[in-house]
């Protein structure tokens, strides 16, 4: 299915996923221009184009990697621009366009419905309008709740005036829910490592944002059906995979950091409750949040590698997270289990998975690995002063739109930073675009070829 655009007498077909990609690209271009302007920097001087482009891409793609300090380099106008880019990147360019159409015309055009569906916001075209409204309202609800808690904490606990406390609260709430990881402090949130009233609301925001809108929509429907006394539908495989995956990955990430860094990066935190709090926060953040309350440069190579895996998997589909997504990983695990058992088809939770879904998942995983390997090799050549652990961590963080770093981003040569920019863009738009494009290329062939089985292994 494609969108038909008329240009003079010529008619061009633009697929929804291409429209989404171009929309994100347009936001990045505008954001770059705004951030490069003199009024966006604290010094009043124009920001180098490479830094403005890197920051705009990182904010729009919800990554959080930075080449200049968010707290000191940018003026209030620059920080507001970054926050706006995060919000636009989180809600999605086409979703915002759909919202504007609803507010102005009270209805959705087909092109905007297709665009919102391509972003993973809806299940079918008939319900996109409701899904867009629900997406925006739920986003604002969670952000407002987290903002209120953070604002009170900044005011009461740190003596900030209500104005500054509210600004800190709204910025970090938006950055947290959208899994962007930008913070208004030079050390990110390391200064709040012992403050559960800061870390836990942020963890709540990033976990909710990481569920993905299709799963949140399904949870809301079941909740509403229970209140109305209506029979509830069976959980979809998307929801089952995502919820089970989160239930496994969060404790696994916490255990990874706790066991690997209890006397290492966590050792200076003192009491065991504070260490456990930070192990939990550091276990949640790799699922594309990007906040860090401990210094990842102090992590051991084993913990960094485990964090690489968590970042690469990412979070739920159709949400603010990056990575190849939990559902992709779950489908491939189910396929491996079926092959080991010798089952004729891939079955999970009483449902048979379509063979095309398995191939799509394999294509997404392979494309992701290819990008990560290629970018890692390029950065190892361009920045040989850094270890392979640091480079791999930086590349996976960029592709998975996480934003965690061992502190080398700003020290990378410009050529290496320019490689990370398209990697962040590909990580945000690529897996979705690839999966949707593959799903749209379904065709029936009236013939088949002779079968042959090559040797495997």
């Amino acid at each position: 299915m494609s969108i038909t655009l008329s240009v003079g007498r010529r008619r061009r077909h633009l697929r929804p996923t291409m429209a989404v990609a171009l929309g994100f690209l347009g936001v990045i271009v505008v954001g770059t221009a705004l951030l490069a302007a003199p009024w966006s920097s604290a010094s009043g001087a124009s920001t180098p184009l490479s830094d403005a482009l890197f920051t705009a891409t990182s904010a729009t793609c919800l990554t959080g990697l930075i080449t200049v300090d968010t707290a000191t380099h940018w003026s209030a106008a620059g920080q507001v621009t970054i926050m706006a880019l995060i919000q636009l990147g989180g809600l999605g360019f086409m979703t915002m366009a759909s919202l504007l159409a609803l507010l102005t015309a009270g209805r959705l055009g087909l092109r905007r419905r297709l665009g919102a569906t391509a972003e993973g916001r809806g299940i079918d075209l008939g319900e996109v309008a409701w899904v867009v409204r629900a997406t925006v309202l739920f986003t604002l609800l969670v952000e407002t709740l987290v903002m209120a808690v953070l604002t009170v904490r900044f005011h009461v606990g740190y003596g900030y005036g209500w104005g500054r406390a509210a600004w800190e609260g709204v910025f970090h709430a938006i950055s947290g829910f959208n899994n962007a990881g930008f913070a208004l402090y030079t050390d990110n949130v390391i200064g709040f490592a012992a403050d559960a009233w800061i870390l836990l609301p942020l963890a709540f925001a990033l976990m909710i944002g990481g569920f993905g809108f299709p799963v949140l929509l399904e949870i809301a429907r079941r909740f509403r059906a229970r209140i109305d006394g209506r029979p509830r539908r069976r959980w979809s495989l998307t929801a089952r995979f995502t919820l089970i995956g989160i239930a496994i990955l969060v404790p696994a990430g916490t255990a990874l950091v706790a066991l690997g860094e209890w006397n290492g990066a966590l050792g200076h935190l003192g009491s065991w409750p504070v260490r456990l709090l930070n192990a939990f926060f550091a276990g949640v953040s790799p699922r594309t949040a990007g906040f860090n309350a401990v210094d990842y440069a102090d992590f051991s190579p084993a913990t960094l590698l485990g964090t690489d895996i968590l970042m690469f998997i990412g979070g739920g589909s159709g949400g603010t997270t990056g990575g190849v997504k939990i559902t992709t990983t779950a489908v491939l695990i189910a396929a491996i289990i079926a092959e080991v058992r010798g089952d004729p088809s891939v079955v999970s939770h009483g449902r048979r998975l379509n063979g095309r879904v398995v191939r799509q998942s394999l294509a997404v995983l392979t494309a992701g690995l290819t990008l990560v390997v290629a970018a890692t090799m390029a950065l190892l050549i361009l920045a040989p002063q850094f270890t392979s652990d640091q480079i791999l961590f930086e590349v996976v963080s960029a592709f998975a739109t996480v934003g965690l770093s061992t502190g080398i981003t700003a020290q990378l040569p410009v050529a290496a930073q320019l490689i990370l920019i398209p990697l962040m863009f590909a990580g945000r738009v690529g897996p979705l675009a690839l999966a949707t494009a593959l799903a749209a290329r379904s065709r029936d062939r009236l013939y088949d070829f002779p079968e042959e089985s090559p040797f495997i292994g």
Side-chain angles (χ1 to χ4, degrees), residues 201-217:
L202 288 176
F204 167 78
L206 62 92
M207 288 181 67
I208 293 296
F211 275 93
F213 289 106
V215 175
L216 293 174
L217 171 64

Side-chain angles (χ1 to χ4, degrees), residues 190-440:
I190 290 178
F192 305 105
D195 194 340
W197 286 100
I198 298 293
L199 298 189
L200 290 182
L202 288 176
F204 167 78
L206 62 92
M207 288 181 67
I208 293 296
F211 275 93
F213 289 106
V215 175
L216 293 174
L217 171 64
E218 188 167 341
I219 294 173
R221 281 176 171 163
R222 291 178 64 86
F223 182 73
R224 188 168 59 180
R226 182 172 183 177
I227 293 178
D228 296 340
R230 294 182 285 107
R232 285 168 287 177
R233 294 181 181 179
R234 185 182 185 276
W235 284 105
S236 68
L237 279 183
T238 298
R240 287 177 182 269
F241 285 156
T242 302
L243 295 175
I244 293 174
I246 290 174
I248 293 174
L249 292 176
V250 170
T254 303
L256 168 72
V257 178
L259 295 175
E261 304 300 329
W262 193 261
N263 294 315
L266 302 177
H268 70 284
L269 296 175
S271 64
W272 71 264
V274 177
R275 294 192 196 188
L276 187 60
L277 169 66
N278 281 268
F280 168 73
F281 193 76
V284 170
S285 286
R287 297 185 51 258
T288 82
F291 287 111
N292 65 288
V294 291
D295 191 350
Y296 278 82
D298 296 333
F299 277 27
S300 66
T303 309
L304 287 178
L305 181 59
T307 305
D308 289 336
I309 296 173
L310 292 175
M311 292 192 295
F312 188 79
I313 294 174
S317 300
T320 58
T321 60
V324 296
K325 303 297 187 297
I326 292 175
T327 47
T328 301
T329 307
V331 167
L332 293 176
I333 291 175
I336 292 172
I337 293 174
E339 191 63 29
V340 170
R341 290 177 175 176
D343 295 337
S345 57
V346 181
V347 177
S348 182
H349 300 284
R351 290 291 186 270
R352 179 170 54 87
L353 276 66
N354 188 296
R356 299 194 74 249
V357 173
V358 178
R359 295 199 301 272
Q360 290 162 18
S361 299
L362 184 60
V364 170
L365 179 70
T366 303
L369 287 173
T370 301
L371 285 173
V372 167
V373 171
T376 300
M377 292 179 65
L379 262 66
L380 284 172
I381 295 173
L382 293 171
Q385 67 270 33
F386 299 113
T387 66
S388 57
D389 294 329
Q390 292 174 309
I391 294 295
L392 178 62
F393 192 86
E394 196 81 7
V395 167
V396 174
S397 180
F399 168 76
T401 68
V402 178
L404 294 176
S405 175
T406 56
I408 69 172
T409 312
Q411 303 172 44
L412 291 172
V414 174
Q417 294 173 356
L418 292 178
I419 290 176
L420 294 180
I421 290 173
L423 193 63
M424 290 188 287
F425 185 81
R428 173 62 177 151
V429 180
L432 168 69
L434 177 59
T436 306
L438 290 172

